Amino acid sequence: MPAGSHLPHGLKPSALQLPREGRRVWQSESAQLSEIAIETHELRKEYGAKVAVADLTLTVPRGEIFGFLGPNGAGKSTSVKMLLGLVHPTSGTSMVLGHPAGHVPTLARIGFLPEHFRFHEWLTATEFLDLHGRLCGMDPAHRRKRISEVLELVGLAEHAHRRLSGFSKGMLQRIGLAQALLHAPELAFFDEPTSALDPFGRRLVRTIIQEIKAQGTTVFLNSHLLSEVEVTCDRVAFIRDGVVLQTLELHEMAGGHRTVELRVDAVTPALLDRLTPLVEEWRLLEADESSPFGGQTSYPADAQLPAGLELVTCDDHLPLIARETLAAGARLYALTPRRTSLEQLFLDIVGMEDSGQ
Amino acid sequence: MNAIMNLAWLTFHEARRRSMVLVALVLGAAFLLLFGIGMNLIVNSRQTTGGLLNGEIIFSMLTVAGLYVVHFLAIMLAIVATVDAVSGEISSHTIQSLVTRPVYRWQVIAGKWLGYIIMLVLYTALLSVGILLESWLIAGYVPPQPAQGIALIVLQVAVVVSLSLYIGTYVSTLTNGVILFMLYGLAFIGSWVEQIGTLYQSPATTQIGVISSLLLPVEALWRLAAVSLQPPLLNNINFSPFNLGSPPTGATIVYAVIYIGLLLVLAMRAFTVRDL
C-alpha cells in the first residue's frame, strides 16, 4: 500500500465530528496521521501482580529510526510485542501505521526480528523465506526475486539451500533479518538485532538500517547496545520499569557541535592562543585521563597518555585545529572526535542503580 | 484460506522433514506384513487340522483385533504428533514469526488442525484398509460395514487432535501429554466398567461409562466401529472381546462431531486471546 496516498482505514469522514469547515480539518488530520508510524497512549501491561510496562506513551514519525533504550527487564520487548499484537495490553491504546496494534492486514506492511530469533529449523533458508513470502501474500516471481535479494543483503546467499538447523546463532539472526525485510515493510521492528552478531554483522545491520531508512522505512530499534543506537538512531527513548523517562533527538543532542579530544606532547599558552578562536569551549585533560569513547587508550607506546584538551567545536574547524596545533609547534598525537556520550546520558537518565534483572 | 493451506503444508512438511512420515510408513508396512503372515498361518492351520469354531468368527476376531490395534495406534499417534504442536511453538518462540505475518491466529490453529487431520486420517485409513484387504484376500472375511467402521476409527483421530490443540494453547507440552493420556485411560476404563456393568444391569456403571465417554468419546466410537466390523452373529449375542453388552447409540457420533467442532472453535479463541 503506498504510504500517505490513501486515507487510513477506519478514518472515515463520517466518523469524525466535523464542524462547518469539516473538509479542511479532515485533510489536515489525515495528513498528520499518515506521517505517524506509531502512536501509543498510556499503554500498560500487567502479568498478574508484575507490571511489565507501566505507562508507554510515545509517537514515532514515519521515516524515523527510533531507538528504544533501557536496562534489561525495562519492558522493551513487551512494548514491541504489544505494538505487534503478540501481547494484549491491559489498558491503553496504540496505533501502528494508522490501525490499532495487531490489526492483521496491517502486518503485511510490518517486519519483525524477534529477540528470540528461533525459526522452523527443519526448513532450508530459501524454504523459510518462501513460507514467509507466501504468508505475506507475495506472488511466486516476486518471492523468488526478493529471496535472492535479501539473502544477498544479509550475506547468506551461499547458504540458501542449507537447513536452518545447521545455522550458527549469528546466521540465524541474519536470516531473521532477511525474513523481516523480505516484503520491504514500511515499518520494521528489530528487537536486539545484533545480540548474536560479530563486528562484521553489526556493521552490516547498521548499513542495512541506513539503507532501508533511505527507502523511507521506519525502524523501531530495541537495544541496550548504546554505541549501536548512537550511530543509527534519529531519536531515542529511555525506558525503565515500563515508563518512558525521556525522549531525545540525537542530532539535537549534538546540536551541530562536536566534542573532540586533542592529544599533544604539551599544552602551551601559544597553543591555547591559536585554538581559542576556533573552539567554543575547552577543558584541559589530565595526562592519564582517558575519554570513555576515545577507543585507543595509549598513544605513544608507553602507557602514559600525552597531555590533552577536550574541545567543543564544529566539524568545519577540525582541519584548522590540526593546522594551528602544528603551527604552535606542538607534536600532535591524536585528534579524535568524541561521540556524544550516550552512555553517560543513559546512566544519568535511567539511573546508576543496576536493577540486576 | 490461502494462509490456512500454507500452515497445513508447514505442518506436513515438518512431519516429512523430521522423518516422521517415513518411519510411520515403514513401521506401518511391517505391521501389515506381520498381520498378513499371521492370518495366512491361521488359515493354513485350519485347512490341515480343521476348525473348532465357525471360521467367520475366528477370522472376524483376528480382523477386529488388527483394527483394534490400528485404533489404539491412531489415538497414540494423534497424541504424540500433536501434543507439541501449539505449546512447543510457543515455548520455542517460533510462533512469534508466524503470527506477526498477516495471518489471523485462528488460521494458525485451523492450518495446524487441517495438516494433522489430513496426515493422521490418511495414515489411519491406510492401515485400516490394509487390514481389511488382507483379511479379505487371505481369509475371505468381509465385515458387514467396512466403510463405516473405518470412518468411526478415523473420527477418533479428529477427536484427539482437536482436544490436543485446545489443551496445548493453555499448558506446556508435557502437561498436555499427561492430560491426554490420562483422559484416554479414563475413557478406556470407563467404557469397560460400563460394558461389564451392563451384564449385571448396573445403572451406576452405565453412568460412569457415559461420563467418561463425554470427556473423551474415543472408546464409545470404537465400540460402534467394532459393531460395524463384526459378523452379525457376534453382535446379536452382544458378547465379544471388543464389545460387551449393548453398543452405544448413534448419538455418540453426533456428540463426537459437536465435540470436535466445539474444541476447534475453543482452541482458536484461546489462541487468539493469549499472549505470545
Side-chain angles (χ1 to χ4, degrees):
Chain A
M1 185 186 279
S5 62
H6 293 291
L7 198 63
H9 289 289
L11 188 78
K12 298 188 181 79
S14 60
L16 296 168
Q17 290 170 354
L18 300 180
R20 255 167 287 154
E21 293 182 338
R23 199 170 162 72
R24 206 179 297 163
V25 173
W26 170 78
Q27 279 182 330
S28 69
E29 281 218 352
S30 82
Q32 210 181 359
L33 275 175
S34 67
E35 283 163 19
I36 291 171
I38 301 168
E39 189 165 29
T40 70
H41 186 66
E42 293 177 0
L43 213 51
R44 184 180 176 85
K45 180 64 185 179
E46 297 165 9
Y47 291 105
K50 186 180 179 289
V51 180
V53 174
D55 170 11
L56 187 74
T57 302
L58 53 84
T59 306
V60 179
R62 270 179 189 265
E64 187 172 82
I65 302 180
F66 185 81
F68 204 48
L69 298 179
N72 296 332
K76 301 190 298 286
S77 285
T78 306
S79 301
V80 165
K81 285 183 186 175
M82 283 196 282
L83 294 175
L84 284 157
L86 281 170
V87 165
H88 303 279
T90 309
S91 62
T93 55
S94 54
M95 296 291 277
V96 176
L97 297 178
H99 295 275
H103 180 248
V104 169
T106 306
L107 291 171
R109 297 151 58 200
I110 297 175
F112 173 44
L113 171 64
E115 180 190 16
H116 304 281
F117 42 93
R118 288 281 306 276
F119 308 111
H120 298 101
E121 294 188 344
W122 61 89
L123 296 172
T124 66
T126 303
E127 285 172 336
F128 168 69
L129 293 175
D130 194 60
L131 167 75
H132 281 268
R134 276 186 284 156
L135 291 176
C136 286
M138 295 163 71
D139 63 64
H142 189 207
R143 286 205 300 271
R144 261 197 305 281
K145 180 170 164 285
R146 281 298 292 166
I147 286 171
S148 58
E149 278 174 13
V150 292
L151 281 174
E152 192 70 46
L153 182 71
V154 300
L156 290 176
E158 54 196 273
H159 303 286
H161 299 291
R162 260 180 74 186
R163 286 197 204 177
L164 301 189
S165 51
F167 274 27
S168 69
K169 271 187 134 185
M171 289 164 81
L172 282 174
Q173 199 157 30
R174 283 169 187 247
I175 197 76
L177 202 61
Q179 163 270 146
L181 299 174
L182 180 67
H183 54 309
E186 290 170 44
L187 169 64
F189 288 94
F190 297 144
D191 198 348
E192 305 286 0
T194 56
S195 58
L197 296 179
D198 57 21
F200 297 111
R202 289 181 183 198
R203 191 155 72 182
L204 178 78
V205 170
R206 280 204 294 274
T207 316
I208 288 174
I209 290 177
Q210 296 298 347
E211 273 176 25
I212 61 175
K213 178 194 160 73
Q215 291 157 13
T217 305
T218 311
V219 178
F220 191 104
L221 179 67
N222 247 13
S223 185
H224 55 241
L225 291 175
L226 300 170
S227 51
E228 296 283 326
V229 169
E230 205 169 14
V231 290
T232 44
C233 291
D234 299 319
R235 207 154 57 96
V236 292
F238 294 89
I239 174 174
R240 196 186 68 181
D241 299 331
V243 185
V244 176
L245 301 171
Q246 196 173 332
T247 40
L248 203 66
E249 297 270 348
L250 285 188
H251 305 308
E252 207 173 74
M253 188 173 75
H257 307 291
R258 188 180 281 283
T259 306
V260 293
E261 186 183 325
L262 180 77
R263 292 288 179 183
V264 287
D265 55 339
V267 178
T268 58
L271 175 64
L272 287 175
D273 281 349
R274 283 177 175 270
L275 291 183
T276 312
L278 298 172
V279 303
E280 288 161 38
E281 279 176 44
W282 62 269
R283 181 173 80 87
L284 200 63
L285 291 171
E286 295 302 317
D288 57 351
E289 186 182 340
S290 66
S291 73
F293 288 89
Q296 214 171 332
T297 50
S298 76
Y299 295 94
D302 59 332
Q304 269 272 318
L305 281 172
L309 284 169
E310 188 182 82
L311 311 168
V312 178
T313 182
C314 58
D315 285 352
D316 293 346
H317 285 169
L318 288 178
L320 301 176
I321 289 173
R323 198 183 66 196
E324 293 302 317
T325 304
L326 297 175
R331 295 169 69 183
L332 176 61
Y333 287 102
L335 180 60
T336 322
R338 260 194 199 176
R339 288 269 163 222
T340 1
S341 175
L342 193 59
E343 186 173 71
Q344 195 53 48
L345 269 172
F346 181 86
L347 294 175
D348 290 346
I349 295 170
V350 176
M352 292 290 286
E353 202 179 320
D354 184 0
S355 65
Q357 283 176 304
Chain B
M1 199 59 209
N2 217 348
I4 296 176
M5 292 317 291
N6 279 328
L7 291 160
W9 169 85
L10 185 67
T11 303
F12 176 73
H13 197 58
E14 178 180 10
R16 203 167 63 97
R17 271 288 158 81
R18 294 190 156 174
S19 309
M20 201 172 94
V21 172
L22 182 71
V23 169
L25 286 177
V26 168
L27 292 179
F31 171 72
L32 290 178
L33 184 70
L34 182 68
F35 181 82
I37 291 171
M39 193 68 135
N40 208 22
L41 287 174
I42 290 168
V43 168
N44 291 341
S45 307
R46 271 184 67 83
Q47 277 163 359
T48 51
T49 61
L52 284 172
L53 271 164
N54 180 324
E56 192 182 42
I57 289 184
I58 292 295
F59 296 135
S60 79
M61 272 175 53
L62 189 60
T63 306
V64 179
L67 289 169
Y68 183 82
V69 176
V70 172
H71 129 92
F72 178 77
L73 288 178
I75 289 171
M76 292 300 127
L77 282 177
I79 293 177
V80 172
T82 61
V83 68
D84 197 34
V86 180
S87 51
E89 288 225 35
I90 295 172
S91 65
S92 72
H93 305 285
T94 54
I95 200 72
Q96 289 183 359
S97 66
L98 283 188
V99 299
T100 46
R101 291 302 177 193
V103 173
Y104 291 94
R105 297 241 192 132
W106 66 263
Q107 291 177 317
V108 175
I109 296 292
K112 282 183 178 290
W113 187 86
L114 195 65
Y116 285 116
I117 291 286
I118 291 174
M119 263 190 300
L120 290 163
V121 162
L122 278 179
Y123 186 68
T124 309
L126 205 66
L127 287 186
S128 307
V129 169
I131 294 280
L132 289 177
L133 270 179
E134 282 180 322
S135 61
W136 173 56
L137 291 173
I138 298 168
Y141 175 70
V142 178
Q145 293 164 299
Q148 190 182 317
I150 293 176
L152 286 165
I153 294 175
V154 155
L155 196 59
Q156 297 169 39
V157 170
V159 164
V160 174
V161 171
S162 309
L163 182 65
S164 171
L165 291 188
Y166 173 59
I167 299 176
T169 57
Y170 286 105
V171 301
S172 72
T173 300
L174 213 57
T175 313
N176 193 10
V178 170
I179 293 173
L180 291 170
F181 280 119
M182 289 315 290
L183 279 178
Y184 179 63
L186 285 178
F188 187 89
I189 204 64
S191 168
W192 279 93
V193 166
E194 181 192 354
Q195 288 179 67
I196 292 170
T198 48
L199 295 179
Y200 303 98
Q201 265 107 48
S202 159
T205 59
T206 310
Q207 276 174 8
I208 288 175
V210 169
I211 292 167
S212 63
S213 294
L214 288 178
L215 284 174
L216 188 65
V218 289
E219 281 303 301
L221 287 173
W222 162 252
R223 288 172 64 197
L224 273 177
V227 171
S228 348
L229 298 167
Q230 291 176 150
L233 179 63
L234 277 181
N235 283 332
N236 288 341
I237 59 170
N238 278 342
F239 197 89
S240 94
F242 306 106
N243 181 41
L244 277 172
S246 55
T249 62
T252 305
I253 300 173
V254 177
Y255 177 75
V257 171
I258 294 171
Y259 184 96
I260 292 165
L262 190 69
L263 283 177
L264 185 58
V265 170
L266 287 176
M268 289 171 174
R269 267 192 44 177
F271 190 60
T272 301
V273 300
R274 76 157 288 165
D275 290 334
L276 294 171

